[in-house]
Amino acid sequence: MIDPDARRRIEGMAEQANRFAGQIQDLTGEGTDDTGLVRATCGASGRLVDIELAAETRRMQTYELREAILAATGRAADAAGTRLAEVVAEMTRGAADGFGTDAVRQAREQVAQYQRLVDAQREKLEQLRGNLGRS
């Protein structure tokens, strides 16, 4: 039987992990070029997920459009990276209710406590087996 406090902590950690995964999945960053004619959106991995080109971009030289796209996508990737770092920092703060170092430490302590209980029960079983063998 799992200790109710441990169960609550584990369920809380699982909920926080799911929330974290959802935030990462939905995370995007946006960026534009210097003229505002190209707008890009990148996901958490930095992958381009959308790009919008203003009608005026049709009159741009190809090298100008290339530079504008590169600028917008680079800024979008940077924005997504910044947002990802914020989410990770938020989730890994040492607060007792955060999905971070404190929660991991508590889980490790609980596992160690259970391991000690299991080891103690094994020792008792071995003693009982030994006593049965002598009778």
Side-chain angles (χ1 to χ4, degrees):
M1 180 103 182
I2 295 180
D3 176 20
D5 288 336
R7 180 181 300 275
R8 277 192 295 278
R9 274 188 249 135
I10 291 168
E11 288 170 353
M13 288 171 58
E15 180 182 319
Q16 289 169 345
N18 288 333
R19 193 171 61 240
F20 177 70
Q23 285 180 320
I24 297 302
Q25 183 177 356
D26 297 338
L27 187 142
T28 60
E30 290 189 359
T32 61
D33 71 313
D34 293 336
T35 63
L37 297 177
V38 178
R39 177 180 303 280
T41 304
C42 288
S45 67
R47 182 179 208 159
L48 182 65
V49 295
D50 192 22
I51 191 162
E52 297 174 27
L53 304 173
E56 294 88 350
T57 60
R58 285 182 278 175
R59 291 188 290 276
M60 295 173 77
Q61 296 292 322
T62 55
Y63 71 90
E64 292 173 318
L65 182 57
R66 176 188 174 277
E67 292 301 316
I69 290 170
L70 289 174
T73 56
R75 290 172 183 158
D78 289 347
T82 298
R83 181 65 189 122
L84 177 60
E86 290 169 356
V87 169
V88 169
E90 190 178 305
M91 295 303 289
T92 58
R93 274 193 203 113
D97 62 343
F99 180 72
T101 55
D102 195 51
V104 171
R105 180 188 54 76
Q106 289 175 4
R108 284 183 180 153
E109 288 173 1
Q110 193 69 46
V111 168
Q113 180 181 356
Y114 286 130
Q115 188 61 51
R116 287 189 296 273
L117 289 171
V118 168
D119 291 344
Q121 292 300 320
R122 282 187 182 147
E123 286 179 27
K124 287 180 183 179
L125 281 171
E126 289 302 318
Q127 287 174 354
L128 286 171
R129 284 186 185 137
N131 291 341
L132 286 174
R134 285 187 237 149
S135 352

